[in-house]
Amino acid sequence: MGAHEEYGVGRQRFDVADAAPLLLDPQGVVTGWTGAARLLLAYPASEAVGRKLADLLTAEDAQRVPDLVERCRRDGGWTGLLTARRRDGQPVRVMARITSADEAHGGSRWLVLLSELADAPGWDMSRTVLERMVSDAPVGIAIVDTDLRFVWSNAALEQFGGGPAPRRLGLRFADVQPGMDAQAVEAQMRHVLETGEAVVGYEHVGQIRSAPLRETAHMLSFTRLEDDRGRPIGVYYTVVDMTERHRARQRLALLDRAGQSIGRSLDLVRTAQELADVAVPGLADFVTVDLLETVLRGAEPAPGPLADTEPPALRRAGHRSTEDDLPETAVGIGDGVAYLPGSPPARSLATGRPWRAERLDPPAREWAADGPGDRRAAFVGPGPHSAMTVPIRSRGTALGVTSFFRSDRREPFDEEDLRLAEDLVARAAVCVDNARRYTRERDAALVLQRSLLPHRLPEQDAVEVAACYRPADELTGLGGDWYDLIPLSGARVALVVGEVPGHGIDAAAAMGQLRTAVRTLAALDLTPEEVLAHLDDLVARSAREEGVEPGAAGPGSGQSMGSGCLYVVYDPVDGRCAMAAAGHPAPAVVLPDGSVRFVDLPQGPPLGVGGPPFEAVELSLAEGSTLALHTDGLLARGETTWAVDAGRERLRRALERAGPLESCCRAVVDALVPARPYDDVALLMARTKRLGADQVAAWDLPCDPAVVAEARRTATRQLSRWGLEELVFTTELVVSELVTNAMRYSDGPIRLRLIRERALVCEVFDGGATAPHLRHPRTTDEGGRGLLLVSQLTQRWGTRFIPDGKIIWAEQSLTDLAEPSLTDLLE
């Protein structure tokens, strides 16, 4: 018993061990003969060696030998059935395997293995058996002739349409399957006939007559049929229904496309529109996406189920149709939609469950009720015949509802379609909720930003101003850069540009703190270097309170640490301009002739890090000069000297093309800053003005009490020349009080100056170093009411110190000339 038989495994048919080997030379002549070959064909070696292989085959197969030899040379071998002829003339059916047997010295021979098939079951089956096999096969099978006309088909082909087999005979593919792309199928058949190359796995998608509303998919394979001489006699093809696999593939592709397309932005309406765009036409012919008004505002929707009796307010956030002009609905994007109680969308919102109708009744199309400001959701035209509604839910909360519709040219929605719609909406719901939460946070951040940056710069006559702000954080629109214009006493203005490290809401909050501090310090009428010194102390103290040492940097450091600031004071009376910088680039100046230069400004250390004291420079600006104050994000992409110099040169060229100030400011930012800037950018441009000689009047007064009355009369005459007689009484009181205080508390010359701008400014200079203080005298006190009256009668007043003394000033508004009664004030 053999080893295989011992384990109950018989030797398999066509095993190499059962084959009879023989060798052929390249011309097909036998050069080697074995005992197994002698047993199979009964030729002794003396008679077999030297004979051609064709002599050992029947006449029919002998004619195939040249073609077999050619195939072996081309393909490196051949396997197939042959009929050999024994020595006694009896035919023997054999399985032949021909492989290359190249020799080491370079010769080429062929090894032939012959296996007898006499006992192999199935090879001698009758034609009836074979026909029954193909006729009863579940795969559609057909044969067409060289004119592509049906000559035979099995019963399974009938399930793909076209009628029974006898009716197909003599017809072409287009005759029996008019709904399919017959030209494409017949093109494959002609290709197979012409080339002999088989086509396997050709996919065809279309509609067949038996299912006119249902898209079907089939996989076809084509093989050329040949006669004994290799001439084509027709095409044998098979058809397999792969509609379900095709639809599953479509669903996966649609979900993949949804993952790539939905949620590409954090805009609610855009996200809703992306959901509609993905679903049409892959799933539906028409899709609407309606979101709760509270969701569109970014508010938190109410938890729990929604009432079906009183559907909540919805707005159309997205829709898409296979028709370009969107004829299905009269509701536009942004319009309100009020669904009737009990309608499918209202039920889906209330229950959180989807709804599907294979056949949509005409009355069911009226889903919407007329309401104030709402549009009807009824359909225009014949409308759809099948519909689904799926609620948009995230974290157990309803956000809106999506409706899917199909028209008459497509099959109704089924359960698979509903599951696909739920998957699409579930993916979109996460994106909608993220966009809603982002909208809420962004709106809150923008409210903060608007409260921190000036809504509009104050009106004044010292400079013409324009500003442009572009944050690096394009999502929130928040940054740490800021600009400001602060009116000062004496018709002067302070121009400020600063930046806080980092971006986003933390930087914006720190920026707001610094901007408030600068405004507070500016109200003290300090010099630029003194303002920065106090600001530096404030930042350093705040950092220490947060546990950060001065000079530290990184995530653990205070947000304001290392901030930069440029503080400029401009006086329109004489054109003098003083400025100081803390870790901030110097401004550029565009002269009236159009030339551009950069101020040689000493660079102080950034705020809070410590270092040498701040230094200020003073220059005189001609009327019509333009100051360009900017943050460093406008110039360089790095910190190298080359990058800064290159940025300055770009800024110079942009400023030389200056035109109207507002358009010039925006044009400079557009020219130097990319669409997505590397850093926050702020640019403040101020074109200087000068007050006319008729707007300023000044007098030197001796330190003599008798001159107080003359000062009042001089001021009164000046007000009459300016046409401000309504302010004479108040101005006389202010001049009298301020000049009297100057004579009482200081020695030396006194100077009185009146400035007519948007307010009437009264200034008194003296050489003293003591600032007056406002007191609240008791009823029995004989004095101390002068400054109290000044504070009550004027818009504002204060003291500023200059190198050789101080100036006490008071302003009266020229926009409201109604004066309070002195009796009322004293009461």
Side-chain angles (χ1 to χ4, degrees):
M1 181 180 295
H4 291 285
E5 296 174 346
E6 181 178 351
Y7 292 98
V9 181
R11 178 171 290 168
Q12 299 299 312
R13 183 65 61 181
F14 309 139
D15 197 319
V16 174
D18 297 321
L22 56 101
L23 291 175
L24 303 176
D25 65 8
Q27 286 71 39
V29 177
V30 178
T31 60
W33 194 256
T34 63
R38 179 177 180 177
L39 290 175
L40 179 62
L41 299 180
Y43 288 98
S46 58
E47 295 183 15
V49 174
R51 301 183 67 169
K52 292 184 177 181
L53 178 62
D55 297 337
L56 302 177
L57 303 176
T58 60
E60 182 179 357
D61 282 349
Q63 296 177 0
R64 300 172 58 194
V65 171
D67 181 61
L68 295 180
V69 172
E70 181 61 30
R71 289 191 183 184
C72 289
R73 290 173 180 170
R74 183 186 65 209
D75 303 330
W78 178 84
T79 299
L81 297 177
L82 293 174
T83 303
R85 185 167 50 82
R86 295 173 59 90
R87 189 169 182 268
D88 58 5
Q90 294 297 321
V92 180
R93 292 286 285 174
V94 293
M95 168 66 75
R97 296 178 178 85
I98 305 176
T99 59
S100 176
D102 294 337
E103 296 178 341
H105 56 73
S108 177
R109 293 193 298 174
W110 298 98
L111 173 64
V112 181
L113 300 175
L114 301 177
S115 300
E116 186 177 4
L117 298 179
D119 299 330
W123 289 105
D124 294 330
M125 288 187 295
S126 66
R127 174 175 176 175
T128 302
V129 175
L130 294 174
E131 285 184 350
R132 186 177 298 115
M133 290 174 58
V134 295
S135 297
D136 298 340
V139 177
I141 303 174
I143 298 176
V144 297
D145 60 16
T146 54
D147 292 330
L148 307 185
R149 297 185 180 276
F150 284 95
V151 297
W152 180 86
S153 62
N154 67 347
L157 194 65
E158 297 176 9
Q159 64 181 305
F160 303 103
R167 190 182 302 172
R168 297 174 184 268
L169 296 179
L171 300 178
R172 296 179 59 162
F173 191 85
D175 300 326
V176 299
Q177 296 285 18
M180 299 182 69
D181 188 357
Q183 292 183 350
V185 175
E186 291 188 351
Q188 297 295 325
M189 295 180 181
R190 290 192 184 92
H191 174 76
V192 172
L193 281 174
E194 294 170 1
T195 64
E197 299 174 357
V199 174
V200 179
Y202 171 74
E203 294 186 12
H204 182 276
V205 179
Q207 294 177 342
I208 60 177
R209 184 177 295 174
S210 60
L213 296 179
R214 187 171 183 267
E215 186 178 70
T216 58
H218 307 97
M219 184 171 65
L220 295 85
S221 297
F222 305 90
T223 305
R224 187 171 76 175
L225 297 177
E226 302 172 348
D227 59 14
D228 293 338
R229 298 183 179 182
R231 293 175 298 187
I233 60 174
V235 174
Y236 164 87
Y237 76 88
T238 60
V239 185
V240 177
D241 189 348
M242 52 172 295
T243 301
E244 292 305 318
R245 187 171 70 177
H246 171 71
R247 297 187 69 184
R249 202 161 55 196
Q250 283 185 318
R251 294 187 187 101
L252 291 176
L254 189 62
L255 291 175
D256 181 66
R257 190 161 63 251
Q260 297 177 3
S261 302
I262 301 176
R264 291 178 296 179
S265 72
L266 290 173
D267 182 85
L268 275 165
V269 175
R270 181 176 175 182
T271 301
Q273 185 61 49
E274 288 167 348
L275 169 59
D277 292 343
V278 166
V280 175
L283 177 60
D285 296 320
F286 177 52
V287 172
T288 65
V289 182
D290 302 318
L291 297 180
L292 296 173
E293 288 189 353
T294 54
V295 171
L296 287 171
R297 293 196 303 267
E300 193 74 27
L306 300 175
D308 185 20
T309 56
E310 296 182 4
L314 295 162
R315 289 201 174 272
R316 179 63 44 83
H319 55 203
R320 175 64 64 185
S321 171
T322 53
E323 301 293 335
D324 294 336
D325 55 354
L326 201 70
E328 287 88 347
T329 181
V331 180
I333 299 296
D335 291 341
V337 180
Y339 289 106
L340 288 171
S343 63
R347 289 203 305 270
S348 291
L349 277 171
T351 64
R353 294 192 296 271
W355 170 88
R356 176 178 65 91
E358 291 188 4
R359 293 296 172 187
L360 191 62
D361 296 332
R365 296 174 185 168
E366 296 290 338
W367 287 356
D370 290 326
D374 293 325
R375 304 284 297 276
R376 294 183 64 83
F379 301 98
V380 178
H385 69 84
S386 185
M388 300 185 297
T389 61
V390 179
I392 304 173
R393 296 176 61 84
S394 179
R395 298 181 293 121
T397 303
L399 306 176
V401 64
T402 305
S403 301
F404 303 82
F405 304 94
R406 279 185 180 171
S407 60
D408 292 335
R409 68 178 182 274
R410 296 182 63 177
E411 69 273 15
F413 290 116
D414 57 19
E415 284 296 331
E416 289 295 328
D417 294 322
L418 182 59
R419 283 194 288 269
L420 177 58
E422 290 182 281
D423 287 341
L424 284 177
V425 174
R427 295 187 180 208
V430 176
C431 300
V432 168
D433 192 47
N434 288 340
R436 178 196 61 80
R437 297 168 70 180
Y438 163 75
T439 299
R440 180 187 62 191
E441 299 300 328
R442 184 174 185 272
D443 288 346
L446 290 179
V447 170
L448 171 64
Q449 181 80 337
R450 284 192 292 268
S451 67
L452 298 179
L453 286 176
H455 294 256
R456 59 190 181 100
L457 296 174
E459 295 182 357
Q460 36 73 45
D461 292 333
V463 290
E464 176 190 356
V465 290
C468 185
Y469 175 76
R470 186 167 296 175
D473 190 341
E474 63 176 353
L475 290 180
T476 64
L478 296 175
D481 291 11
W482 90 92
Y483 59 87
D484 209 347
L485 184 148
I486 308 170
L488 302 177
S489 63
R492 300 168 306 135
V493 292
L495 304 170
V496 190
V497 167
E499 56 185 319
V500 172
H503 314 288
I505 195 168
D506 292 337
M511 173 268 287
Q513 293 176 339
L514 287 183
R515 178 172 177 260
T516 302
V518 170
R519 280 183 160 263
T520 302
L521 293 171
L524 300 177
D525 266 326
L526 302 175
T527 60
E529 67 272 20
E530 289 176 321
V531 169
L532 294 184
H534 285 288
L535 196 62
D536 180 70
D537 291 340
L538 175 64
V539 172
R541 184 167 60 252
S542 298
R544 286 194 297 270
E545 291 174 356
E546 296 177 13
V548 180
E549 293 300 324
S557 62
Q559 186 70 45
S560 300
M561 181 75 71
S563 300
C565 184
L566 174 65
Y567 190 86
V568 179
V569 175
Y570 174 69
D571 190 342
V573 175
D574 54 12
R576 287 186 301 174
C577 182
M579 64 185 71
H584 201 280
V589 179
V590 184
L591 300 178
D593 61 2
S595 61
V596 179
R597 65 184 181 90
F598 292 89
V599 179
D600 186 11
L601 179 64
Q603 277 296 305
L607 298 174
V609 302
F614 300 101
E615 298 182 49
V617 297
E618 187 173 299
L619 60 153
S620 180
L621 296 177
E623 185 175 9
S625 301
T626 302
L627 280 166
L629 290 72
H630 59 87
T631 55
D632 58 7
L634 185 69
L635 294 184
R637 303 293 179 260
E639 298 298 329
T640 64
T641 302
W642 176 87
V644 174
D645 292 342
R648 279 191 168 188
E649 186 57 34
R650 291 196 305 271
L651 177 58
R652 182 193 303 276
R653 292 195 299 268
L655 290 173
E656 287 175 346
R657 299 189 293 269
L661 197 63
E662 187 69 35
S663 59
C664 174
C665 185
R666 192 161 300 277
V668 169
V669 174
D670 290 340
L672 272 66
V673 179
R676 299 184 62 180
Y678 302 93
D679 194 7
D680 302 326
V681 176
L683 174 63
L684 177 65
M685 298 184 69
R687 187 163 292 165
T688 61
K689 300 178 182 179
R690 287 285 186 94
L691 296 183
D694 61 339
Q695 292 181 273
V696 182
W699 303 272
D700 292 323
L701 305 175
C703 188
D704 182 357
V707 82
V708 175
E710 180 60 29
R712 289 198 299 268
R713 288 191 292 272
T714 301
T716 299
R717 288 193 295 270
Q718 185 62 47
L719 291 184
S720 297
R721 284 192 290 271
W722 283 343
L724 299 177
E725 288 82 359
E726 297 93 336
L727 300 181
V728 168
F729 174 76
T730 303
T731 304
E732 284 183 341
L733 189 148
V734 170
V735 169
S736 179
E737 178 62 26
L738 298 186
V739 173
T740 300
N741 276 342
M743 292 182 179
R744 181 179 301 171
Y745 298 108
S746 66
D747 298 325
I750 298 173
R751 185 175 179 83
L752 170 64
R753 186 169 72 166
L754 296 179
I755 301 174
R756 178 175 60 85
E757 192 213 19
R758 293 177 180 270
L760 177 64
V761 182
C762 178
E763 295 182 340
V764 175
F765 162 79
D766 64 66
T770 304
H773 295 283
L774 181 67
R775 293 189 302 163
H776 295 276
R778 296 186 298 270
T779 306
T780 57
D781 290 344
E782 296 182 0
R785 294 182 175 84
L787 284 180
L788 177 62
L789 291 176
V790 171
S791 67
Q792 295 294 318
L793 292 173
T794 60
Q795 181 174 298
R796 59 177 187 156
W797 74 281
T799 304
R800 72 174 183 271
F801 290 91
I802 56 178
D804 51 353
K806 69 176 182 294
I807 295 175
I808 305 176
W809 56 269
E811 289 184 3
Q812 299 176 72
S813 173
L814 296 183
T815 59
D816 184 8
L817 296 181
E819 296 183 79
S821 167
L822 181 60
T823 304
D824 294 338
L825 293 174
L826 292 176
E827 290 177 354

